[in-house]
Amino acid sequence: MGYLAELHTSLTRQTVPWEAVLVLDGADPALLPEQLATDARIRVVELPRPVGAAAARNLGLRAVRTPLVCYMDDDDLVPDDSLAVRHQRITETGLGWVAGWSADLHPDGSTTVWRCPTPPGVHRPGDVTGYWASPEAQIPLGQTMLLARTELVIAAGGHGGLPQGEDFVMVNGVTNLAPGELLPHVVYYYRQHPAQMTAGGASFLELEGPAREFAFRHGRALRAALQRSRTDGLGLAV
């Protein structure tokens, strides 16, 4: 729970008001650090049994009361202006989502910015999907980079029903349904440590390929279906 306490500390340094939904995926609530248990801005959703990341995130989304939402993993950190820089831009533009860059946080405290395949700037619905070249290639955008309108994330179906790679499906949905913008500004620190789920253990790797293939095909199928729908809606040839 040390990483979770550090994430909370980074949240307390944010410069815009926030509230958090913390989903305990079958975990014992008695293990919750006191600083989180006593923070009135945090509402805890206790699940009676482990259901996995996708279901836990979707059940947590059900409890979100704010018009904007973003996701953070319990072992990561956010810079002091993470929420403010994205909130300001989404408020100014009226876009469906605004993202910033992510940076790997190494054990020695140094960081390395991950420059995703999606370039900085405003993107039309479906553009982000085009920056994912193949199932094996770098994903176009990370879910923790996104600040999005809550109703948009719900409309996108939340996180897909996969044992992993569910976040790819969520990014597909949000970025295909609405325009957004990527800011060339780090808004998320992705902590690198041996115990992280994506570190590459055998049980993780055996499903990584199929999960990526499904998510990749989902993004392209969704983009194609929405493009057809928009064309039909203009009264053009069906």
Side-chain angles (χ1 to χ4, degrees):
M1 291 292 183
Y3 288 156
L4 179 58
E6 290 182 27
L7 171 60
H8 176 257
T9 297
S10 71
L11 277 173
T12 64
R13 293 196 292 261
Q14 299 302 302
T15 57
V16 293
W18 57 271
E19 66 176 43
V21 173
L22 176 61
V23 182
L24 300 182
D25 188 17
D28 183 355
L31 298 176
L32 197 62
E34 183 179 1
Q35 67 189 75
L36 281 86
T38 58
D39 190 333
R41 294 169 294 184
I42 296 177
R43 289 180 295 118
V44 178
V45 173
E46 298 180 27
L47 302 181
R49 58 179 174 81
V51 296
R57 286 169 175 157
N58 288 337
L59 292 171
L61 181 61
R62 177 182 57 87
V64 170
R65 301 182 297 198
T66 53
L68 303 171
V69 65
C70 62
Y71 289 89
M72 300 173 190
D73 290 339
D74 60 0
D75 54 353
D76 294 330
L77 298 172
V78 287
D80 295 357
D81 62 354
S82 173
L83 298 180
V85 68
R86 289 176 289 173
H87 180 269
Q88 178 179 344
R89 190 62 182 152
I90 202 170
T91 301
E92 291 172 347
T93 62
L95 292 167
W97 56 270
V98 170
W101 278 339
S102 174
D104 289 340
L105 175 61
H106 304 290
D108 64 0
S110 64
T111 59
T112 304
V113 177
W114 177 59
R115 286 177 169 79
C116 57
T118 301
V122 175
H123 298 279
R124 298 166 300 178
D127 283 356
V128 172
T129 290
Y131 295 112
W132 195 0
S134 69
E136 300 79 21
Q138 287 276 11
I139 59 170
L141 203 66
Q143 64 127 359
T144 53
M145 299 157 67
L146 286 166
L147 176 71
R149 300 190 183 278
T150 304
E151 290 302 313
L152 174 61
V153 179
I154 294 172
H159 286 73
L162 293 171
Q164 62 200 66
E166 73 288 339
D167 48 338
F168 304 162
V169 176
M170 189 274 278
V171 171
N172 285 338
V174 167
T175 61
N176 272 284
L177 286 175
E181 183 175 9
L182 174 62
L183 306 175
H185 185 91
V186 173
V187 299
Y188 195 80
Y189 292 135
Y190 180 51
R191 191 193 300 268
Q192 301 293 308
H193 63 93
Q196 63 192 150
M197 186 181 73
T198 55
S203 61
F204 177 83
L205 292 175
E206 64 185 3
L207 290 176
E208 182 69 354
R212 277 178 165 267
E213 182 181 354
F214 176 85
F216 179 81
R217 294 176 61 183
H218 167 258
R220 274 162 168 65
L222 179 59
R223 181 177 63 175
L226 290 172
Q227 287 176 343
R228 285 194 299 269
S229 176
R230 293 178 185 119
T231 300
D232 296 348
L234 291 174
L236 302 179
V238 177

